[in-house]
Amino acid sequence: MRQIVSSARPASAPFALAAALALAIGPAMASEPDSALASAMKRDLGLSEQQLGQYLKVERLTAQQERIAAQAQGRGFAGSWIERSPSGDFRWVVATTSASGRAVAGAEMRQVRHSLDALGNAKARLDDVLAQGGRAPAGVYGWYVDVKTNSVTVNVAPGADEAAVDFVARSGADASTLRFQTMADAPRPLATLQGGSEYLSTTTSGSYYCSVGFSVTRNGAKGFATAGHCGDAGDGAAVLVRRSLSRIGTFQASSFPNNDMAWVQVDAAHTLLPSVSGYGAGDVAVRGSLEAPVGAAVCRSGRTTGWKCGVIEAKNVSVSYGADGTVNGTTQVKVCAEGGDSGGSFITSAGQGQGVLSGGNYSCKGKQAKLATSYFQPLNPLLQAYGLTLSTTP
């Protein structure tokens, strides 16, 4: 849900990694995290300084070796992820359907039933229902390949199992790959010049708060990436100056539902920085857009709730926003967000941009924050779709 503005006022123990870590690590992943981002990760993920350091080693190893691991397992590859043990340590897990799968340096191997291809095919059957003009039934909130449980997980409302079973049966997906998971509150699009900073989309029917994702350029023109549900092509973008709207640019392209992506071209007089706002804790430089793995820590920035960090739970998630439609290809993160945060930045400890906030459930208030799940539109497909170049810090 976009946050509607009715006036100009804003609404209120370590395992052996030595051999693998001796491999060369690319410069994009080798840098230490920005201090503000490191502090937020420790706060929101409950990490000590030692645990943060150990996590960063595993993150770098995974980024370096994930593609090699997939090739080594061939058709039996069933995904990989970063996992935290009860003791607080982190490990990289590689799943395979083969009892004799080739070991991968630095990884814990696990044998599972379904390959990643089999799970992807099952999810594609569910996606096809929508592609052929169908809709997700009420109470079915989304579905995704969950490599950690070796299943296609379907998020459903309490008491909506029957509707979910009918939906799965209609799709023809392999029932042995499916798993239902109860989600107590429904996801919804969240909406309320630097990543995470506030702006308003302006239409003939009103104004809506959202957040800047990442600074970009296209053929010499500058602008920013954001969520598609924040505005349609041709809508204006503005900021508040002394309680009056001041135009900064125009939505050039937008897609929602199916995708949740847009870009706004900003007028020449304005300045866009290649960084993400730390909301008082220091800004984070954008270094690139290298995709992080499942289990990786990411932090998000938005005008309503500022800095929040969580862990990537799944990729290529289809999330249903009810009457607002379904968005495919999102990444699911265990982190809270609120109205007005939509479009805001997700970024890793190494300054790698990941995506822009699409939606979520629950708020960041009290005990609800620990229950919350959010979804972001991945950044690289957005850049490719609109021919954009990400602005980065040298």
Short mmCIF file of all heavy atoms in Angstrom, two decimals, residues 30-62:
data_model
loop_
_atom_site.label_atom_id
_atom_site.label_comp_id
_atom_site.label_asym_id
_atom_site.label_seq_id
_atom_site.Cartn_x
_atom_site.Cartn_y
_atom_site.Cartn_z
N ALA A 30 35.82 -8.06 -1.16
CA ALA A 30 36.90 -8.12 -0.20
C ALA A 30 36.88 -6.97 0.80
O ALA A 30 37.50 -7.03 1.83
CB ALA A 30 38.24 -8.13 -0.93
N SER A 31 36.21 -5.87 0.48
CA SER A 31 36.21 -4.71 1.34
C SER A 31 35.43 -4.96 2.62
O SER A 31 34.48 -5.73 2.65
CB SER A 31 35.64 -3.51 0.59
OG SER A 31 34.32 -3.77 0.19
N GLU A 32 35.86 -4.29 3.69
CA GLU A 32 35.14 -4.39 4.94
C GLU A 32 33.84 -3.58 4.85
O GLU A 32 33.76 -2.61 4.12
CB GLU A 32 36.02 -3.85 6.07
CG GLU A 32 37.21 -4.73 6.40
CD GLU A 32 36.79 -6.13 6.81
OE1 GLU A 32 35.90 -6.26 7.66
OE2 GLU A 32 37.36 -7.10 6.27
N PRO A 33 32.81 -3.99 5.61
CA PRO A 33 31.54 -3.27 5.53
C PRO A 33 31.65 -1.86 6.09
O PRO A 33 32.48 -1.59 6.97
CB PRO A 33 30.60 -4.14 6.38
CG PRO A 33 31.51 -4.84 7.34
CD PRO A 33 32.76 -5.12 6.55
N ASP A 34 30.84 -0.98 5.56
CA ASP A 34 30.75 0.36 6.11
C ASP A 34 30.39 0.28 7.59
O ASP A 34 29.64 -0.59 8.02
CB ASP A 34 29.66 1.13 5.34
CG ASP A 34 29.50 2.54 5.82
OD1 ASP A 34 28.73 2.74 6.80
OD2 ASP A 34 30.11 3.44 5.23
N SER A 35 30.93 1.18 8.40
CA SER A 35 30.74 1.12 9.85
C SER A 35 29.27 1.23 10.24
O SER A 35 28.81 0.55 11.17
CB SER A 35 31.55 2.21 10.53
OG SER A 35 31.16 3.50 10.07
N ALA A 36 28.51 2.08 9.54
CA ALA A 36 27.08 2.21 9.87
C ALA A 36 26.34 0.93 9.56
O ALA A 36 25.48 0.49 10.33
CB ALA A 36 26.49 3.38 9.08
N LEU A 37 26.67 0.32 8.41
CA LEU A 37 25.99 -0.91 8.04
C LEU A 37 26.39 -2.05 8.99
O LEU A 37 25.55 -2.85 9.40
CB LEU A 37 26.34 -1.25 6.59
CG LEU A 37 25.53 -2.37 5.93
CD1 LEU A 37 25.31 -2.04 4.46
CD2 LEU A 37 26.23 -3.71 6.06
N ALA A 38 27.67 -2.11 9.38
CA ALA A 38 28.12 -3.14 10.32
C ALA A 38 27.40 -3.01 11.66
O ALA A 38 26.98 -4.00 12.26
CB ALA A 38 29.64 -3.04 10.51
N SER A 39 27.23 -1.78 12.12
CA SER A 39 26.52 -1.56 13.39
C SER A 39 25.07 -2.01 13.30
O SER A 39 24.53 -2.63 14.23
CB SER A 39 26.58 -0.08 13.77
OG SER A 39 27.91 0.32 14.03
N ALA A 40 24.42 -1.72 12.17
CA ALA A 40 23.03 -2.13 11.99
C ALA A 40 22.91 -3.65 11.92
O ALA A 40 21.95 -4.23 12.44
CB ALA A 40 22.45 -1.48 10.73
N MET A 41 23.86 -4.30 11.26
CA MET A 41 23.84 -5.77 11.18
C MET A 41 23.97 -6.38 12.57
O MET A 41 23.24 -7.32 12.93
CB MET A 41 24.97 -6.26 10.28
CG MET A 41 24.75 -5.98 8.80
SD MET A 41 26.21 -6.40 7.80
CE MET A 41 26.24 -8.19 8.00
N LYS A 42 24.89 -5.87 13.36
CA LYS A 42 25.08 -6.40 14.72
C LYS A 42 23.82 -6.17 15.57
O LYS A 42 23.41 -7.05 16.32
CB LYS A 42 26.30 -5.75 15.37
CG LYS A 42 27.62 -6.21 14.76
CD LYS A 42 28.83 -5.74 15.55
CE LYS A 42 29.09 -4.27 15.34
NZ LYS A 42 30.36 -3.85 15.99
N ARG A 43 23.22 -5.03 15.42
CA ARG A 43 22.00 -4.71 16.19
C ARG A 43 20.83 -5.59 15.81
O ARG A 43 20.19 -6.21 16.66
CB ARG A 43 21.64 -3.24 15.95
CG ARG A 43 20.38 -2.76 16.67
CD ARG A 43 19.89 -1.46 16.06
NE ARG A 43 19.39 -1.66 14.71
CZ ARG A 43 19.30 -0.69 13.80
NH1 ARG A 43 19.70 0.54 14.10
NH2 ARG A 43 18.82 -0.95 12.60
N ASP A 44 20.53 -5.69 14.52
CA ASP A 44 19.32 -6.36 14.08
C ASP A 44 19.47 -7.87 13.95
O ASP A 44 18.48 -8.60 14.03
CB ASP A 44 18.85 -5.78 12.74
CG ASP A 44 18.37 -4.34 12.87
OD1 ASP A 44 18.11 -3.91 14.00
OD2 ASP A 44 18.28 -3.66 11.85
N LEU A 45 20.69 -8.36 13.73
CA LEU A 45 20.91 -9.79 13.58
C LEU A 45 21.49 -10.43 14.83
O LEU A 45 21.72 -11.64 14.87
CB LEU A 45 21.84 -10.06 12.39
CG LEU A 45 21.34 -9.54 11.04
CD1 LEU A 45 22.39 -9.78 9.96
CD2 LEU A 45 20.02 -10.17 10.67
N GLY A 46 21.71 -9.63 15.87
CA GLY A 46 22.22 -10.16 17.13
C GLY A 46 23.63 -10.70 17.01
O GLY A 46 23.93 -11.77 17.57
N LEU A 47 24.51 -10.01 16.31
CA LEU A 47 25.86 -10.49 16.06
C LEU A 47 26.87 -9.79 16.97
O LEU A 47 26.79 -8.58 17.18
CB LEU A 47 26.27 -10.23 14.61
CG LEU A 47 25.43 -10.88 13.50
CD1 LEU A 47 25.96 -10.46 12.15
CD2 LEU A 47 25.44 -12.39 13.65
N SER A 48 27.81 -10.57 17.48
CA SER A 48 28.95 -9.97 18.16
C SER A 48 29.96 -9.56 17.09
O SER A 48 29.83 -9.91 15.91
CB SER A 48 29.59 -10.99 19.10
OG SER A 48 30.17 -12.07 18.36
N GLU A 49 30.99 -8.83 17.49
CA GLU A 49 32.02 -8.42 16.54
C GLU A 49 32.69 -9.65 15.91
O GLU A 49 32.95 -9.69 14.71
CB GLU A 49 33.07 -7.56 17.25
CG GLU A 49 34.09 -6.94 16.32
CD GLU A 49 33.51 -5.86 15.43
OE1 GLU A 49 32.54 -5.18 15.86
OE2 GLU A 49 34.01 -5.68 14.30
N GLN A 50 32.94 -10.68 16.73
CA GLN A 50 33.57 -11.90 16.24
C GLN A 50 32.65 -12.63 15.26
O GLN A 50 33.10 -13.12 14.22
CB GLN A 50 33.92 -12.83 17.40
CG GLN A 50 34.60 -14.12 16.97
CD GLN A 50 34.94 -15.03 18.15
OE1 GLN A 50 34.65 -14.71 19.29
NE2 GLN A 50 35.57 -16.16 17.86
N GLN A 51 31.36 -12.71 15.58
CA GLN A 51 30.40 -13.38 14.69
C GLN A 51 30.24 -12.63 13.38
O GLN A 51 30.10 -13.25 12.33
CB GLN A 51 29.05 -13.51 15.40
CG GLN A 51 29.05 -14.53 16.53
CD GLN A 51 27.80 -14.46 17.37
OE1 GLN A 51 27.15 -13.42 17.47
NE2 GLN A 51 27.45 -15.58 18.00
N LEU A 52 30.27 -11.31 13.43
CA LEU A 52 30.19 -10.53 12.20
C LEU A 52 31.39 -10.84 11.30
O LEU A 52 31.23 -11.05 10.09
CB LEU A 52 30.14 -9.04 12.51
CG LEU A 52 30.18 -8.09 11.31
CD1 LEU A 52 29.00 -8.33 10.38
CD2 LEU A 52 30.22 -6.64 11.77
N GLY A 53 32.58 -10.89 11.88
CA GLY A 53 33.77 -11.20 11.10
C GLY A 53 33.69 -12.59 10.48
O GLY A 53 34.07 -12.78 9.32
N GLN A 54 33.19 -13.56 11.24
CA GLN A 54 33.09 -14.92 10.71
C GLN A 54 32.02 -15.00 9.62
O GLN A 54 32.21 -15.67 8.61
CB GLN A 54 32.75 -15.89 11.85
CG GLN A 54 33.03 -17.35 11.51
CD GLN A 54 31.75 -18.17 11.39
OE1 GLN A 54 30.71 -17.80 11.92
NE2 GLN A 54 31.84 -19.27 10.67
N TYR A 55 30.93 -14.28 9.81
CA TYR A 55 29.90 -14.23 8.77
C TYR A 55 30.46 -13.67 7.46
O TYR A 55 30.22 -14.21 6.38
CB TYR A 55 28.70 -13.37 9.20
CG TYR A 55 27.84 -12.99 8.02
CD1 TYR A 55 26.95 -13.91 7.48
CD2 TYR A 55 27.99 -11.76 7.40
CE1 TYR A 55 26.22 -13.61 6.35
CE2 TYR A 55 27.26 -11.45 6.27
CZ TYR A 55 26.37 -12.38 5.75
OH TYR A 55 25.66 -12.09 4.62
N LEU A 56 31.24 -12.59 7.55
CA LEU A 56 31.78 -11.96 6.35
C LEU A 56 32.69 -12.92 5.59
O LEU A 56 32.69 -12.93 4.35
CB LEU A 56 32.53 -10.69 6.72
CG LEU A 56 31.67 -9.54 7.25
CD1 LEU A 56 32.54 -8.40 7.76
CD2 LEU A 56 30.70 -9.05 6.20
N LYS A 57 33.45 -13.76 6.30
CA LYS A 57 34.30 -14.75 5.64
C LYS A 57 33.46 -15.75 4.86
O LYS A 57 33.77 -16.10 3.72
CB LYS A 57 35.17 -15.47 6.67
CG LYS A 57 36.25 -14.62 7.29
CD LYS A 57 37.08 -15.42 8.29
CE LYS A 57 38.17 -14.56 8.93
NZ LYS A 57 38.97 -15.34 9.91
N VAL A 58 32.36 -16.20 5.47
CA VAL A 58 31.50 -17.17 4.79
C VAL A 58 30.79 -16.52 3.61
O VAL A 58 30.62 -17.13 2.55
CB VAL A 58 30.47 -17.77 5.78
CG1 VAL A 58 29.54 -18.73 5.08
CG2 VAL A 58 31.20 -18.49 6.92
N GLU A 59 30.38 -15.28 3.76
CA GLU A 59 29.73 -14.57 2.66
C GLU A 59 30.65 -14.47 1.45
O GLU A 59 30.25 -14.70 0.31
CB GLU A 59 29.32 -13.17 3.12
CG GLU A 59 28.60 -12.35 2.06
CD GLU A 59 28.41 -10.90 2.47
OE1 GLU A 59 29.44 -10.17 2.54
OE2 GLU A 59 27.27 -10.50 2.73
N ARG A 60 31.92 -14.15 1.71
CA ARG A 60 32.89 -14.02 0.62
C ARG A 60 33.16 -15.36 -0.05
O ARG A 60 33.26 -15.44 -1.28
CB ARG A 60 34.19 -13.42 1.16
CG ARG A 60 34.05 -11.97 1.62
CD ARG A 60 35.22 -11.55 2.46
NE ARG A 60 35.01 -10.21 3.01
CZ ARG A 60 35.66 -9.72 4.05
NH1 ARG A 60 36.56 -10.46 4.67
NH2 ARG A 60 35.42 -8.50 4.48
N LEU A 61 33.26 -16.40 0.78
CA LEU A 61 33.47 -17.74 0.23
C LEU A 61 32.31 -18.14 -0.67
O LEU A 61 32.51 -18.66 -1.77
CB LEU A 61 33.61 -18.75 1.38
CG LEU A 61 33.58 -20.23 0.99
CD1 LEU A 61 34.80 -20.58 0.14
CD2 LEU A 61 33.51 -21.11 2.23
N THR A 62 31.11 -17.91 -0.21
CA THR A 62 29.92 -18.28 -0.99
C THR A 62 29.88 -17.54 -2.31
O THR A 62 29.60 -18.13 -3.37
CB THR A 62 28.65 -17.98 -0.17
OG1 THR A 62 28.74 -18.62 1.09
CG2 THR A 62 27.41 -18.46 -0.90
#
